[in-house]
Amino acid sequence: MGGGPALLGKLTCAVGLREEDRERISDTLATGGFLGSPPRKTVRFGGTLTDILLKYQKGERTDFDLLKDQLLDPDTKDDQIINWLHEFRSSVAVLTKECEQLVSILLKVPWLRRSKAVEEEYLAFLSNLVSAQTIYLRPCLAMIISHFIPPRITVREDDVDISDSDNDDENVTRSFNTCHRALQTVARYVPLTPQFLMPVLTEKFPFINKSERTLQCYVHNILRISGYIPGLRHDILELVTERLLKIDVSAPRKDIEAAEEAESKEACEERLFDMDEDEENGEKNDVMAHPVAERLDILMIILFCYIKDVCHVNGKLDIGRTKDLYRELVLIFDKLILPTHGSCHVQYIMFYLCSFRLGIAEAFVEHLWKKLQNPNSPAVIRQAAGSYIGSFLARAKFVPVVTVKACLELLVNWIHEYINNQGTGSKAFCDIALHGPFYAACQAVFYVVIFRHRQILDGNLKKGLAFLQSLNFERIVMCHLNPLNVCLPSVVNFFAAVNRKYQIAFCDTIIERNRRQVLPVVRSSSGGDSVETCTNPLDSFFPFDPYVLKRSKNVIDPLYQFWEEQNAEDLTEVANSTGECKGEEDDDFLKGETPQGDGLIGMIPGFFDSALRSPDSSVGSPPLTYLQR
């Protein structure tokens, strides 16, 4: 190697190298790295790219196949990729549809997580490609969107795959940022990008059984798109809501609570034997035991954060942005959430948005109210709107009592007008098919009174009682349509207890009469015939039942009106008076005793809240935790 400098001089003279190149080569020769390293791979197309493609079009494939092999080489270096991309960028005019196979290989080249020079060259290539050949717009978009999911690594041991976990390297965020730059670049050069992008986003959306991290990254990234392509915000929000609803309905509340209870018992047993894992257990407490609920919990946090970020600028609520988002979400609510019966959590996006400003909450109730009273809407939608009104007014702590009273007056006036219109005609009898929206409105009123009567009466008892008496509940419960016979037994009994305590209306006679007229239904099954009583004929549910997802509930709980135990104490005060109207067995509703054969449970702390939740099933009887007539 002593002739290294002399050799360098000859090379320099021969090829005319620049001074910096000469220094680099000198360093390489001094260390012996040049001769000791394998030869660098270079791009040898056998001619220019244009020549190769022209030969390919004439049927000569030799150079074309060589080019493909070099592009597919896994040991490609950054300099080689840059050389390729530079030549392809200058030859995009000849990359017609006949070169689709070659372009698809180019789109598979691993350009992320490389040097910044590679990423910049690739972005330049993409911009030139979609500008000159729009037929490749969709494949380019699909390639970019596919990188919204973090890469996965497979660990092999003895030729067996033993794991397939997310690759949580520190470059993931940088790669996501680069992908968004690429998408913005394409959108800038091709105005039709939004039209082609939504089908790709829908197609690439991961299945709901994918890992939490995969779903988290994808949802976060597609929501981020709405920031720089605002025209797609509605469609993106609709897509995310639709997929979250699928996850939500596949994780029923009873399954989530059962999983949590089982895990809690298991944790208690483990703590008896190991007292040194308190810190680890504290971290695990935020993880949902139900795997689907765990995914939903993480995605709901992302959605709540997105709503907050959109509506706030520099930490202050932006009214205009909030109204715009509300208009988009309420359309999605009407299309997807309102018709969905089994969802437990996704509807809380409206609950959370309404908490930002009272005007938004009032607009939401007014929107539901219009649906409830609209005779042209399907009955099932009108009944669902009634359920949402009642549950929202009862549970939204941020809705002041003055608004609750105004909504009660609105509902009750409509109910009285409905009764007037029925008169004593041929339809003036108890029939859910004919009067479903009416019963939904009645149940909404009863439910709101149960939860909010203390607030209505606080401060000025006389004035509060005068307001409740002005609603004329006596006429509603005694009308021919008989709403107490249709509404959920738990709601009916609690409402009757409130009215009995304050002597607003007396429902016990009607309840007892209805009880005697209930006919059991005989159902056959593989296990034999069973006698049941349908106690949820209205197919009722309360959409804003207590939120059970551990992490995201921290957003909802400060805004949520839980059942106050003092309400339970108030209702139990009148237990002794019930016997006068209902007989000994019915005292148990307020006493907390369980009569033989009735399937009731005792009045324990937290029971009232659980009893006033949605039935687990929309068919047949509610579970044993529900009060019977």
Side-chain angles (χ1 to χ4, degrees):
M1 290 301 294
L7 175 62
L8 175 59
K10 293 179 181 179
L11 288 172
T12 304
C13 295
V15 299
L17 293 177
R18 294 174 300 175
E19 184 63 27
E20 56 268 25
D21 294 330
R22 179 176 177 176
E23 293 177 358
R24 177 170 55 82
I25 294 175
S26 177
D27 293 338
T28 304
L29 290 173
T31 59
F34 181 82
L35 297 178
S37 62
R40 281 186 66 180
K41 296 180 180 178
T42 56
V43 184
R44 300 190 182 277
F45 294 146
T48 65
L49 178 63
T50 304
D51 293 338
I52 294 175
L53 295 178
L54 289 176
K55 290 180 182 179
Y56 175 70
Q57 292 175 1
K58 294 178 182 179
E60 299 179 17
R61 296 184 54 94
T62 304
D63 291 340
F64 183 81
D65 292 337
L66 175 62
L67 173 60
K68 289 197 305 179
D69 291 339
Q70 291 187 5
L71 290 173
L72 291 171
D73 192 336
D75 298 325
T76 310
K77 305 299 181 183
D78 286 3
D79 290 344
Q80 291 174 307
I81 292 182
I82 292 174
N83 289 337
W84 290 341
L85 293 174
H86 183 73
E87 187 159 356
F88 275 107
R89 184 155 60 95
S90 59
S91 307
V92 290
V94 296
L95 294 176
T96 56
K97 187 171 178 60
E98 289 75 14
C99 304
E100 185 176 2
Q101 185 182 9
L102 179 60
V103 173
S104 67
I105 294 174
L106 276 170
L107 295 179
K108 295 177 183 177
V109 170
W111 60 284
L112 289 170
R113 295 174 183 81
R114 290 184 177 269
S115 66
K116 189 170 181 63
V118 173
E119 293 179 350
E120 295 299 328
E121 189 67 31
Y122 200 90
L123 293 180
F125 162 71
L126 284 179
S127 61
N128 283 17
L129 179 64
V130 296
S131 299
Q133 305 289 348
T134 54
I135 58 171
Y136 296 118
L137 174 60
R138 195 182 190 283
C140 287
L141 294 175
M143 180 274 297
I144 296 171
I145 299 305
S146 66
H147 291 297
F148 279 174
I149 296 174
R152 304 182 70 83
I153 57 174
T154 302
V155 180
R156 297 180 66 85
E157 187 175 285
D158 298 330
D159 295 329
V160 177
D161 293 346
I162 61 172
S163 71
D164 188 13
S165 58
D166 290 314
N167 183 11
D168 191 17
D169 65 74
E170 58 186 7
N171 293 322
V172 166
T173 301
R174 175 171 168 264
S175 297
F176 289 159
N177 292 337
T178 305
C179 287
H180 284 288
R181 282 186 57 210
L183 196 55
Q184 293 177 64
T185 300
V186 172
R188 184 165 61 249
Y189 283 100
V190 185
L192 289 177
T193 296
Q195 179 179 339
F196 286 85
L197 182 56
M198 271 315 301
V200 175
L201 294 178
T202 303
E203 176 187 325
K204 295 291 184 180
F205 205 106
F207 293 113
I208 63 174
N209 61 348
K210 292 294 183 180
S211 69
E212 295 87 354
R213 179 164 171 74
T214 296
L215 290 166
Q216 175 187 9
C217 291
Y218 191 83
V219 170
H220 181 274
N221 279 312
I222 66 173
L223 288 174
R224 186 174 168 183
I225 293 174
S226 66
Y228 53 84
I229 308 181
L232 285 182
R233 187 170 77 174
H234 175 85
D235 293 335
I236 290 174
L237 285 171
E238 183 175 322
L239 172 62
V240 172
T241 303
E242 178 193 5
R243 298 308 168 93
L244 261 65
L245 275 173
K246 289 182 179 179
I247 298 175
D248 197 1
V249 298
S250 63
R253 182 187 303 274
K254 62 178 181 179
D255 292 352
I256 297 175
E257 292 176 340
E260 291 299 321
E261 183 179 357
E263 185 183 60
S264 178
K265 289 181 179 178
E266 183 178 347
C268 289
E269 293 174 359
E270 290 179 356
R271 280 198 292 270
L272 293 176
F273 301 98
D274 194 344
M275 305 296 290
D276 299 327
E277 298 184 356
D278 291 341
E279 294 183 2
E280 294 183 8
N281 290 333
E283 295 177 359
K284 293 180 180 179
N285 284 340
D286 287 338
V287 178
M288 301 295 298
H290 195 290
V292 178
E294 172 68 8
R295 299 185 189 105
L296 182 61
D297 194 9
I298 294 173
L299 297 182
M300 289 300 294
I301 292 176
I302 294 174
L303 207 49
F304 287 151
C305 291
Y306 174 82
I307 292 173
K308 184 177 180 179
D309 288 346
V310 169
C311 296
H312 291 78
V313 178
N314 297 324
K316 294 183 179 180
L317 184 68
D318 187 297
I319 304 302
R321 291 163 64 100
T322 304
K323 289 181 178 178
D324 291 341
L325 182 60
Y326 167 77
R327 294 188 188 100
E328 293 182 349
L329 285 181
V330 80
L331 292 175
I332 296 170
F333 173 84
D334 288 346
K335 181 178 180 180
L336 299 175
I337 300 177
L338 185 61
T340 303
H341 186 80
S343 65
C344 300
H345 299 96
V346 176
Q347 56 264 30
Y348 272 91
I349 61 176
M350 296 304 302
F351 190 93
Y352 181 57
L353 180 62
C354 289
S355 70
F356 292 162
R357 192 174 179 86
L358 179 59
I360 300 294
E362 291 175 342
F364 182 56
V365 175
E366 182 180 3
H367 176 78
L368 293 168
W369 164 242
K370 289 178 179 178
K371 286 196 170 294
L372 174 62
Q373 63 174 343
N374 183 7
N376 296 321
S377 294
V380 64
I381 296 298
R382 297 176 67 186
Q383 291 173 212
S387 297
Y388 268 92
I389 291 174
S391 192
F392 184 79
L393 293 176
R395 297 293 196 172
K397 187 187 293 186
F398 49 85
V399 176
V401 67
V402 62
T403 303
V404 173
K405 291 169 67 175
C407 293
L408 281 175
E409 285 184 322
L410 195 67
L411 283 166
V412 167
N413 288 340
W414 182 83
I415 290 172
H416 284 300
E417 184 65 24
Y418 191 95
I419 295 172
N420 291 338
N421 292 337
Q422 298 305 313
T424 55
S426 59
K427 296 182 179 180
F429 60 92
C430 183
D431 191 322
I432 298 172
L434 292 175
H435 310 295
F438 166 80
Y439 295 122
C442 289
Q443 181 158 276
V445 170
F446 300 163
Y447 194 72
V448 173
V449 169
I450 292 169
F451 273 86
R452 294 291 196 133
H453 71 275
R454 283 189 61 87
Q455 297 175 22
I456 294 173
L457 299 174
D458 278 349
N460 191 326
L461 180 61
K462 185 176 180 180
K463 189 176 180 180
L465 284 174
F467 168 76
L468 291 176
Q469 290 169 350
S470 69
L471 300 178
N472 197 1
F473 291 141
E474 190 85 17
R475 181 172 184 257
I476 295 174
V477 300
M478 299 188 70
C479 70
H480 291 290
L481 302 181
N482 194 5
L484 297 185
N485 193 41
V486 174
C487 297
L488 281 174
S490 54
V491 173
V492 169
N493 286 318
F494 283 125
F495 178 73
V498 172
N499 279 271
R500 188 185 314 118
K501 174 177 174 59
Y502 297 103
Q503 300 185 6
I504 301 168
F506 295 96
C507 311
D508 302 290
T509 303
I510 306 297
I511 293 174
E512 177 62 18
R513 186 185 65 192
N514 293 335
R515 182 187 179 92
R516 292 170 178 167
Q517 293 176 349
V518 169
L519 295 177
V521 178
V522 178
R523 294 186 178 183
S524 297
S525 63
S526 57
D529 294 344
S530 61
V531 180
E532 299 180 355
T533 302
C534 183
T535 52
N536 186 22
L538 197 58
D539 202 15
S540 303
F541 76 108
F542 305 118
F544 296 115
D545 275 346
Y547 197 92
V548 297
L549 302 179
K550 291 182 179 179
R551 296 184 187 90
S552 49
K553 73 179 297 185
N554 295 328
V555 176
I556 298 300
D557 282 357
L559 314 170
Y560 194 76
Q561 178 68 51
F562 291 94
W563 177 265
E564 300 173 359
E565 291 301 329
Q566 57 183 347
N567 289 348
E569 295 172 2
D570 287 344
L571 296 184
T572 55
E573 288 177 5
V574 292
N576 293 332
S577 64
T578 60
E580 298 177 5
C581 300
K582 298 176 66 178
E584 293 182 0
E585 280 190 359
D586 297 66
D587 289 352
D588 301 320
F589 163 65
L590 294 175
K591 285 182 179 179
E593 297 176 1
T594 305
Q596 296 292 331
D598 275 1
L600 305 183
I601 71 169
M603 294 295 186
I604 59 176
F607 163 74
F608 286 85
D609 204 12
S610 63
L612 287 169
R613 295 184 189 179
S614 305
D616 287 341
S617 172
S618 60
V619 180
S621 301
L624 295 180
T625 53
Y626 279 80
L627 295 167
Q628 307 289 325
R629 284 191 178 90

